[in-house]
Amino acid sequence: MSVTAIAAQNAADRAVAALGERLAGWSPRVALILGSGLGRLAARIVASLDIAFADVPGFPGAGVRGHSGRVVAGTLEDVPVLAFAGRWHLYEGYDPAVAALPVRVAHALGARSLFVSNAAGGIRRTLRAGDLMIVRDHINFTWRNPLAGPAALNETRFPDMSAPYDADLIAALRAAGASAGIALGEGVYAAVLGPSYETPAEIRMLERLGADAVGMSTVPEVIAARALGLRVAGVSVITNPAAGMGGEPLDHAGVLAAGERAGGDFEKVVRAFLRRAFAPPANR
Ligand code: HPA
């Protein structure tokens, strides 16, 4: 394995050991990765463990003051979940294997499904700030892959990516939106490296290549999840029209604020989704 991939595997092993000890045999069914502005959902979990990334051995940023991010274990709608509020982005200089760390840790602790979320710019012209979009497929424009290097023993070397987002989970998301009375778009998420936002010419290119929304995360996690055999569902929260489509300059504070404004709808959809896809039948 490359040095960074080995370091990431060691980091995952240390985090699994530390979290596993704290969780004392409890295991999650679903891992939740909460994107920019969406972390508040973690506070709704009936938590048995709520720990800062900085306090998890092996996690990058452990010991660094001010590094945000929390891992929360507990139940949401009676479903055992392990939530990551915060992630490691490629644009911060992290290796894609580090971006995939939450997925590998959650899998080792017992999760067999992954729900990913992100803030994204809307490329498709019908998408408005505040809309939620079910991710039906993605395009990896980061040109990075968390699986590069010799294969981990429990991961498929050449994972099939013809249906990265699970059809049954997509159906559960559709039904969740309908039952919560929230219209959900559906489309293709294009992941770029960032951290600069796109130019209008780049957005026109992405549109022609089939992207409906654009963001700077998610794809490394989904690739690692497929290599481990996890079922995946994803939702993008459209925080802004992509560059050149809304006329407004883009800034991170605006993206975070729009994510937080959409937080109520996001929470309703995730709760209804968990009930439909994962809750024991008595609770549906
Ligand atoms: N581009 C890339 N990433 C983003 C955007 C965007 O317009 N909005 C939120 N994340």
Side-chain angles (χ1 to χ4, degrees), residues 140-254:
N140 185 358
F141 280 117
T142 70
W143 316 118
R144 311 281 172 89
N145 196 301
L147 309 180
L153 288 178
N154 60 345
E155 295 181 5
T156 310
R157 170 76 299 191
F158 300 107
D160 173 54
M161 294 296 284
S162 55
Y165 299 85
D166 183 86
D168 291 338
L169 296 184
I170 289 176
L173 276 171
R174 284 186 193 128
S179 72
I182 294 163
L184 299 179
E186 278 183 40
V188 173
Y189 173 87
V192 295
L193 183 60
S196 47
Y197 289 112
E198 302 69 41
T199 64
E202 287 164 347
I203 294 300
R204 287 194 298 277
M205 174 193 76
L206 292 174
E207 183 179 31
R208 285 182 194 171
L209 295 179
D212 298 297
V214 59
M216 304 174 192
S217 68
T218 300
V219 161
E221 292 109 302
V222 172
I223 292 172
R226 293 309 300 144
L228 287 162
L230 291 170
R231 297 198 301 155
V232 179
V235 166
S236 290
V237 175
I238 305 301
T239 52
N240 55 279
M245 309 205 64
E248 297 280 315
L250 302 185
D251 73 278
H252 186 58

